[in-house]
Amino acid sequence: MATTLDNPPISVSKIAIIGAGVSGIAASKQLSHHNPLVFEASDSIGGVWRHCSYNSTKLQSHRRDYEFSDFPWPQRESSEFPTHLEILDYLHSYAEHFDVLKNIRFNSKVVEIRYVGDQEDLSSSFGGLPSDHRTPLPGHPVWEIGVQKNNQSDSIQWYAFEFVVVCIGKYGDIPKIPEFACNKGPDVFKGRVMHTLDYCKLDQEAATKLLEGKKVVVVGFKKSGIDLAMECAKANQGPQGQSCTMVVRTPHWIVPHYRIWGLPFSMFYSTRSSQFLHERPNQGVLKALLCLLLSPVRSGISKFIESYLLRKLPLEKYELKPEHPFEEDYASCQMAIVPENFFSEADKGKIVFKRASNWSFWSGGIEFEDNSKLEADVVVFATGFDGKKKLKSILPRPFCSLLDYPSGLMPLYRGTIHPLIPNMAFVGYIESVSNLATSEIRSMWLSGLLDKKFELPSVEKMLSQTLHEMDVMKRSTRFYKRHCNSTHSINHNDEMCEDMGWSSWRKKNWITEGFSPYSSEDYRKKD
């Protein structure tokens, strides 16, 4: 439904936030003094924790590393990793404590966004660089948002805003499915084909019924695939149970817990001193030289961790030893925690691994490039999500085309602002050890920007910075298409602290500053 005289856009707030997942509620809390309007397509907060979690899904990091700076976990010293239900309870407690829920409109799906701002900025996005003097809150609407209420496709209400914060994330909603040659795809398979997104929607009874006594093939060897294989093994205990086959294209390093040879994992990558070992944007000549001189130490730490993992886990036995160094997985946020009894199930034959670069379907299952065949009743794609396609589905032209870069990464200044898209921010598109903490500090930074505590540099400088960050990612890991700042997150946060007028050193003294791991509580706002 188009905007007409009978259906004019409504102006109810200066700021819109799209999505009420972790990033959305973080942004809503930090921008609460602006009374933002939050649009959430579902009936609850939580994002992927609500809609893309299995019954057995747990947090991948320690709960102390996954908490808001001003809202610690209850029993935060517990060594156990919280379940997705515990995380949802924590997020609800946070939202209720800071009265975030009052700004959220549930069952409100954003189906379209239209630009109604300065047409000079619109044309300059392609004809040259836009103005460097754009005001984040100009005093008049810049964007119109079309919202579908309660899945009523024939009824769209339009709203007008000065600034939009996009928090729909990279995961969920749109699955990434491999492409197949003609007559080699899922249509020729007589069994059931699904994506982990579909599996997440099943309750415990339906999930067990799907897996129990079935020949299941899981495509992928990342966290979602590993967890699914574990659930399949549990559903097939006993002599009548079938094995689950994991089709592995590229093995990545997995860890059993966050201690290496008895040392906390955070000592290797989450202290300020450890960040000197890794290249980072804007490090200067002296720091670049130091990084080069310390490269043997960086490589040694990676091998030190690898030696522990190869001793602790039977990766070589099952031909799952990655061909790349551990540090490349850490630099691209690929590392995953393996369930405690995962390889015990493999030893019992309940989980089987098949290395394959290419494969296709046949009527009874899947066929590999060596012409061998594997029978299957169910094939599940644990192949991730198409977050860029999700963004493109709501962003208007020409802005949606600005999301495409040869590197595969979306250029975001401070991980938040696209230099060529006016009056819009993106929160939740940079990964780290703790995506919650990463979203929170970006929301703090965004609040400072909208409150005019600092100004953005020129568009040219912002573009130069983002492109430089992409180059650093390319040199750090072959998996650079995942935008991750885990190896230089402290330095990245330093820059945002300096923008906000904060001290970049957040610890009590130079010893803890240099050698104590950083966490979200270090970035709590100081009164």
Side-chain angles (χ1 to χ4, degrees):
M1 179 184 294
T3 303
T4 65
L5 293 177
D6 298 325
N7 182 38
I10 302 173
S11 292
V12 292
S13 174
K14 294 180 179 180
I15 301 171
I17 299 174
I18 306 175
V22 170
S23 299
I25 62 175
S28 180
K29 188 265 184 180
Q30 298 300 329
L31 299 174
S32 60
H33 55 293
H34 289 288
N35 294 313
L37 185 58
V38 185
F39 296 109
E40 168 54 43
S42 71
D43 61 356
S44 174
I45 67 172
V48 293
W49 290 113
R50 171 66 185 258
H51 306 292
C52 297
S53 296
Y54 308 155
N55 296 304
S56 62
T57 299
K58 292 186 177 182
L59 184 64
Q60 282 284 284
S61 55
H62 195 285
R63 69 182 68 211
R64 285 175 300 178
D65 296 325
Y66 197 86
E67 68 179 4
F68 293 104
S69 61
D70 52 2
F71 195 75
W73 277 87
Q75 301 178 335
R76 67 192 300 266
E77 297 303 320
S78 171
S79 60
E80 295 185 359
F81 298 103
T83 66
H84 74 284
L85 294 178
E86 290 177 306
I87 295 169
L88 284 173
D89 184 60
Y90 172 72
L91 296 176
H92 275 281
S93 298
Y94 173 84
E96 291 171 356
H97 181 78
F98 291 107
D99 203 17
V100 169
L101 297 175
K102 68 179 181 181
N103 294 323
I104 303 176
R105 296 198 178 181
F106 294 106
N107 298 307
S108 300
K109 182 179 180 180
V110 173
V111 294
E112 186 180 351
I113 303 177
R114 294 196 300 229
Y115 182 71
V116 294
D118 192 336
Q119 293 302 308
E120 181 180 342
D121 279 341
L122 182 62
S123 59
S124 62
S125 293
F126 282 82
L129 296 182
S131 169
D132 289 334
H133 304 289
R134 294 177 293 188
T135 304
L137 295 175
H140 58 82
V142 176
W143 297 98
E144 289 182 353
I145 295 179
V147 178
Q148 183 185 93
K149 298 285 290 183
N150 299 312
N151 295 319
Q152 298 176 359
S153 58
D154 58 340
S155 177
I156 297 178
Q157 178 63 61
W158 288 88
Y159 298 81
F161 299 95
E162 297 178 36
F163 198 92
V164 174
V165 187
V166 181
C167 301
I168 60 176
K170 300 189 293 183
Y171 306 108
D173 296 326
I174 300 180
K176 185 180 292 183
I177 304 294
E179 296 182 355
F180 299 93
C182 184
N183 296 322
K184 293 289 186 178
D187 52 310
V188 303
F189 177 50
K190 293 182 179 179
R192 184 170 180 180
V193 180
M194 62 194 311
H195 189 272
T196 52
L197 182 62
D198 305 306
Y199 181 82
C200 291
K201 299 175 183 177
L202 303 177
D203 58 26
Q204 182 70 60
E205 182 180 354
T208 301
K209 185 177 180 180
L210 173 75
L211 303 175
E212 190 174 18
K214 305 290 178 54
K215 299 173 182 176
V216 180
V217 174
V218 177
V219 180
F221 191 67
K222 294 181 183 178
K223 181 57 179 173
S224 60
I226 291 172
D227 282 350
L228 181 55
M230 193 65 188
E231 290 205 359
C232 183
K234 289 180 179 179
N236 282 279
Q237 296 298 307
Q240 303 302 318
Q242 298 286 338
S243 61
C244 172
T245 302
M246 296 193 74
V247 177
V248 183
R249 183 177 184 180
T250 304
H252 290 278
W253 290 98
I254 52 179
V255 298
H257 45 67
Y258 278 107
R259 297 191 76 84
I260 304 295
W261 296 115
L263 299 173
F265 190 87
S266 57
M267 287 184 58
F268 301 106
Y269 291 104
S270 299
T271 64
R272 184 174 292 278
S273 57
S274 69
Q275 306 244 307
F276 282 100
L277 302 174
H278 303 275
E279 183 182 2
R280 53 198 184 276
N282 303 321
Q283 62 184 358
V285 176
L286 291 179
K287 289 182 179 180
L289 179 60
L290 180 62
C291 182
L292 179 63
L293 293 174
L294 293 175
S295 59
V297 179
R298 180 177 70 245
S299 178
I301 289 174
S302 183
K303 291 184 181 300
F304 179 73
I305 294 173
E306 291 166 27
S307 68
Y308 176 82
L309 298 179
L310 292 174
R311 180 185 176 93
K312 191 73 174 177
L313 302 175
L315 300 180
E316 293 178 308
K317 174 183 176 180
Y318 290 109
E319 299 183 355
L320 295 175
K321 178 185 176 183
E323 298 177 359
H324 54 271
F326 174 84
E327 64 178 313
E328 288 196 40
D329 273 347
Y330 190 83
S332 56
C333 296
Q334 300 272 14
M335 184 186 70
I337 293 282
V338 66
E340 184 177 358
N341 297 319
F342 181 74
F343 284 107
S344 297
E345 296 298 331
D347 292 339
K348 293 191 298 185
K350 296 302 180 182
I351 299 177
V352 178
F353 306 100
K354 173 66 176 179
R355 295 286 302 273
S357 298
N358 295 295
W359 60 274
S360 59
F361 283 94
W362 64 287
S363 61
I366 60 176
E367 181 177 0
F368 300 102
E369 54 191 344
D370 61 0
N371 295 323
S372 62
K373 292 184 177 181
L374 177 65
E375 292 185 354
D377 300 309
V378 180
V379 175
V380 186
F381 291 113
T383 48
F385 304 90
D386 195 337
K388 190 174 292 185
K389 186 175 181 180
K390 183 162 62 168
L391 272 178
K392 286 184 175 181
S393 68
I394 62 171
L395 280 183
R397 294 184 178 182
F399 299 113
C400 62
S401 62
L402 297 174
L403 305 180
D404 286 318
Y405 260 68
S407 66
L409 300 176
M410 181 165 63
L412 293 176
Y413 178 72
R414 298 290 192 253
T416 310
I417 298 292
H418 194 301
L420 300 178
I421 302 181
N423 301 80
M424 181 174 283
F426 301 83
V427 179
Y429 292 87
I430 304 294
E431 296 182 63
S432 70
V433 176
S434 173
N435 292 334
L436 180 150
T438 302
S439 292
E440 184 187 32
I441 193 169
R442 275 159 184 74
S443 298
M444 294 176 178
W445 180 88
L446 181 60
S447 176
L449 173 66
L450 295 178
D451 291 343
K452 299 182 180 179
K453 293 182 178 179
F454 61 90
E455 294 183 352
L456 294 173
S458 68
V459 172
E460 186 176 8
K461 287 184 178 180
M462 286 192 288
L463 282 173
S464 176
Q465 169 78 5
T466 57
L467 293 175
H468 186 41
E469 289 177 359
M470 292 180 187
D471 289 338
V472 170
M473 275 291 296
K474 285 183 179 181
R475 290 191 290 269
S476 301
T477 173
R478 69 196 70 187
F479 309 110
Y480 59 84
K481 291 188 178 181
R482 290 174 67 103
H483 203 158
C484 172
N485 70 356
S486 61
T487 57
H488 57 270
S489 59
I490 296 175
N491 296 282
H492 192 75
N493 291 345
D494 285 350
E495 295 175 332
M496 288 189 289
C497 287
E498 290 167 3
D499 288 344
M500 293 185 285
W502 298 4
S503 170
S504 58
W505 281 37
R506 312 296 297 171
K507 303 286 189 179
K508 294 180 179 179
N509 56 64
W510 70 269
I511 297 178
T512 55
E513 183 64 49
F515 303 102
S516 176
Y518 258 78
S519 65
S520 58
E521 62 183 330
D522 292 307
Y523 295 101
R524 182 170 183 171
K525 288 183 178 179
K526 298 179 180 179
D527 298 329

